[in-house]
Amino acid sequence: TAFNSLNHDMTLTEFKFIWYMEYSHRMWGRVVGLAYILPAAYFWRKGWLSRPMKGCVLALCGLVCFQGLLGWYMVKSGLEEKPDSYDIPRVSQYRLAAHLGSALVLYSASLWTGLSLLLPRHKLPETHQLLRLRQFAHGTTALIFLTALSGAFVAGLDAGLVYNSFPKMGERWIPDDLLAFSPVLRNIFENPTTVQFDHRILGITSFTAVTALYLFSRKIPLPRRTRMAVTSLLAVACMQ
């Protein structure tokens, strides 16, 4: 389908490049899965895992398998012929967002588990400021996660090709076709203009939240490790 409607002039060399990219991604995913499951089975058999850690390991291994299943489900959507559609063949943006979202959850959970085992938890007095900082950090995390998911919708719809000027979109701050689809809610997930607009707004909001989190953290006495983490977060946000 993709060859007939989009890439009819593709050479064998060009096809091989795409094929090897996809193949490498699949093989790497399987290696990651084995890197989870084989050591987990070994540690379990040796009796080195506590009861809470067993639950955590099962959840992570299950998430690895679920991630692979989602990847297959996503790719399948790009191979299905749609007789009523004359659009460019592409994977479903919904499935792409689910695949990316589960990968982020898996990575974050793995990192959190690893750091919890390697680094002792700081026992700080539960002040009002510290509680607010923790809530602010959790809110910023959710916002960044939502921004990343919106990026998957941009990629799935090729929405990045619609407008290539910033901060305005074309000659306007708010494009005319922002709510062109009906019902209105459909625009958020299927209108390329709206998807790109949302991603821009979420990106700016995430960067603002990270900056505010950093400035707020400077007012609170925090351990050196925590300060380094907040500073690194700001640095990565600037680079992104």
Side-chain angles (χ1 to χ4, degrees), residues 128-144:
H128 179 64
Q129 278 189 318
L130 187 65
L131 183 62
R132 283 185 62 196
L133 179 68
R134 187 179 291 125
Q135 290 172 341
F136 197 175
H138 289 165
T140 303
T141 302
L143 187 59
I144 292 169

Side-chain angles (χ1 to χ4, degrees), residues 13-239:
T13 304
E14 290 171 332
F15 172 76
K16 282 182 177 180
F17 175 77
I18 294 175
W19 190 90
Y20 279 118
M21 287 284 286
E22 172 68 13
Y23 181 76
S24 301
H25 180 68
R26 292 184 184 204
M27 291 302 106
W28 185 251
R30 288 166 187 171
V31 168
V32 170
L34 291 175
Y36 265 88
I37 294 168
L38 294 181
Y42 177 76
F43 296 151
W44 192 299
R45 186 175 178 81
K46 285 286 187 179
W48 294 346
L49 301 177
S50 64
R51 189 179 179 84
M53 186 50 61
K54 283 182 178 179
C56 187
V57 164
L58 282 175
L60 287 173
C61 288
L63 196 53
V64 167
C65 296
F66 178 67
Q67 173 68 7
L69 185 65
L70 264 182
W72 166 82
Y73 187 58
M74 178 193 72
V75 171
K76 184 174 179 289
S77 69
L79 300 175
E80 294 169 350
E81 287 201 48
K82 304 171 183 68
D84 299 329
S85 174
Y86 299 97
D87 196 8
I88 295 170
R90 56 164 64 93
V91 298
S92 163
Q93 69 271 27
Y94 297 101
R95 299 184 194 185
L96 177 60
H99 189 51
L100 176 65
S102 65
L104 290 173
V105 170
L106 174 61
Y107 179 79
S108 301
S110 303
L111 186 63
W112 183 276
T113 304
L115 291 177
S116 298
L117 292 170
L118 291 171
L119 303 174
R121 186 184 179 93
H122 284 300
K123 294 182 179 179
L124 302 174
E126 289 290 330
T127 62
H128 179 64
Q129 278 189 318
L130 187 65
L131 183 62
R132 283 185 62 196
L133 179 68
R134 187 179 291 125
Q135 290 172 341
F136 197 175
H138 289 165
T140 303
T141 302
L143 187 59
I144 292 169
F145 181 74
L146 189 62
T147 305
L149 285 190
S150 76
F153 280 90
V154 171
L157 290 170
D158 286 335
L161 303 176
V162 181
Y163 292 97
N164 58 7
S165 55
F166 186 86
K168 288 185 177 182
M169 297 178 74
E171 298 299 319
R172 302 177 65 87
W173 290 101
I174 300 176
D176 292 330
D177 54 341
L178 195 67
L179 300 175
F181 289 15
S182 182
V184 175
L185 190 62
R186 201 175 136 223
N187 289 279
I188 298 173
F189 306 106
E190 298 181 14
N191 184 340
T193 298
T194 314
V195 166
Q196 191 193 122
F197 181 80
D198 290 344
H199 188 58
R200 289 177 180 224
I201 298 300
L202 284 167
I204 294 166
T205 308
S206 293
F207 181 77
T208 305
V210 169
T211 306
L213 180 68
Y214 171 78
L215 294 174
F216 182 58
S217 72
R218 302 293 294 176
K219 300 177 181 179
I220 306 173
L222 294 170
R224 180 172 175 270
R225 196 171 76 204
T226 311
R227 288 204 175 281
M228 283 179 61
V230 178
T231 305
S232 299
L233 177 64
L234 179 64
V236 171
C238 291
M239 185 169 64

